[in-house]
Amino acid sequence: CYIDTFKILSRIDKIEPLFGRVGIKVNVTGSGYNSGELVKIDFGKSASINIVSADSRGVVSVGFTVDTQPGGKGEKKAVVVSGLTSGKVNRGEFEITPAVMRLIPESGCVGDSIEIGGNGYGADEIIQIDMGDIKGVAEVQSDENGQFAASLIIPTQTGSRDKMLRVWGLSSDMGSLRKFEVRQAILISPASGTNGVIISVNGTGFGADEIIRVDCGNSLGIVSGKSDANGNFSASFELTAQEIGDVR
């Protein structure tokens, strides 16, 4: 009789998910490796990000956490699964997507400072930060690992709980969105006084062209005004005789 041989080839069966941000868990399954052999996973520039043993059938199931590496469109990272005994090597790909990982605080008033940081951008990439309809509030450059950190001042604009921070890589044309609340704020001058004093009220973060009523203690609607297109308003009134009260 004639005996022939059949060679079982190894392969990567699945990488799940195929894209995501730094810090997520990726699961890789493969088959066709030697029974019980050690199999290592290389990911992008990270050698041996995990090592496991194939089961008795030569099947591999392994997970790893996406570490800090540059991302960007067209910059997919190699996922290499290598059998250390058999020498069998298979390659797949995973795409690191940009993400804003730090936003402190998540709300504020016009003129306040906020801190923002992220990763998954291209290496040494210029990143533009937009807030609401205001383009180019800040620009920052990522480092060699695609990370960035920046601080910015909230620019004059209308108030909203649903403002979007758009943090976009100009080379990769990829980025991330985060919600940010621009809160209302008022400044009263003077902060105290006797009856008859003229009080000035200035505010920011209101709606565009919005009618605003000012109350003072038990005097409701002591003055009203209209905000401008950027949500700013100013008004003044004479303090009338009344008990101690707050301006609202």
Side-chain angles (χ1 to χ4, degrees):
C1 64
Y2 179 77
I3 298 176
D4 203 351
T5 59
F6 181 84
K7 184 177 182 180
I8 298 176
L9 301 177
S10 62
R11 69 178 187 180
I12 293 176
D13 295 313
K14 181 182 287 188
I15 299 174
E16 190 175 26
L18 291 172
F19 59 90
R21 61 175 178 80
V22 170
I24 73 164
K25 183 75 174 292
V26 178
N27 295 305
V28 181
T29 55
S31 57
Y33 292 88
N34 288 1
S35 174
E37 77 168 317
L38 292 177
V39 178
K40 73 167 184 171
I41 309 294
D42 301 330
F43 174 62
K45 65 179 184 179
S46 297
S48 301
I49 199 167
N50 203 352
I51 299 177
V52 296
S53 296
D55 68 13
S56 59
R57 300 167 299 160
V59 173
V60 173
S61 180
V62 59
F64 67 89
T65 299
V66 176
D67 58 352
T68 302
Q69 301 189 39
K73 186 177 291 184
E75 295 292 331
K76 293 184 178 180
K77 303 300 176 186
V79 178
V80 184
V81 184
S82 305
L84 300 186
T85 303
S86 65
K88 297 175 179 178
V89 178
N90 293 276
R91 291 176 173 82
E93 291 182 329
F94 181 88
E95 182 177 0
I96 298 177
T97 56
V100 173
M101 306 300 291
R102 175 182 173 87
L103 179 60
I104 300 176
E106 295 186 350
S107 65
C109 302
V110 171
D112 287 351
S113 177
I114 62 174
E115 296 180 7
I116 183 170
N119 53 36
Y121 290 82
D124 303 314
E125 180 176 27
I126 301 299
I127 298 167
Q128 178 176 301
I129 302 175
D130 306 331
M131 178 180 283
D133 296 327
I134 311 297
K135 307 297 183 184
V137 174
E139 281 192 357
V140 64
Q141 187 172 16
S142 62
D143 65 16
E144 62 183 7
N145 292 314
Q147 304 176 103
F148 80 93
S151 60
L152 57 90
I153 302 299
I154 301 173
T156 299
Q157 59 187 291
T158 57
S160 172
R161 293 185 178 180
D162 297 319
K163 291 288 182 183
M164 297 301 297
L165 275 173
R166 184 178 185 268
V167 186
W168 215 255
L170 300 184
S171 300
S172 63
D173 193 29
M174 294 180 68
S176 181
L177 301 174
R178 282 285 295 270
K179 277 189 177 182
F180 185 84
E181 179 184 0
V182 177
R183 301 198 311 267
Q184 299 170 348
I186 60 171
L187 177 64
I188 303 169
S189 180
S192 63
T194 58
N195 291 331
V197 69
I198 301 300
I199 297 177
S200 297
V201 182
N202 295 281
T204 61
F206 291 81
D209 302 317
E210 182 177 18
I211 300 299
I212 297 166
R213 188 187 79 179
V214 179
D215 303 335
C216 180
N218 56 17
S219 297
L220 303 182
I222 195 168
V223 69
S224 62
K226 186 177 182 181
S227 62
D228 63 19
N230 293 315
N232 302 317
F233 88 96
S234 60
S236 60
F237 62 91
E238 180 180 347
L239 184 63
T240 57
Q242 59 179 296
E243 297 178 358
I244 296 173
D246 297 326
V247 175
R248 296 182 297 167

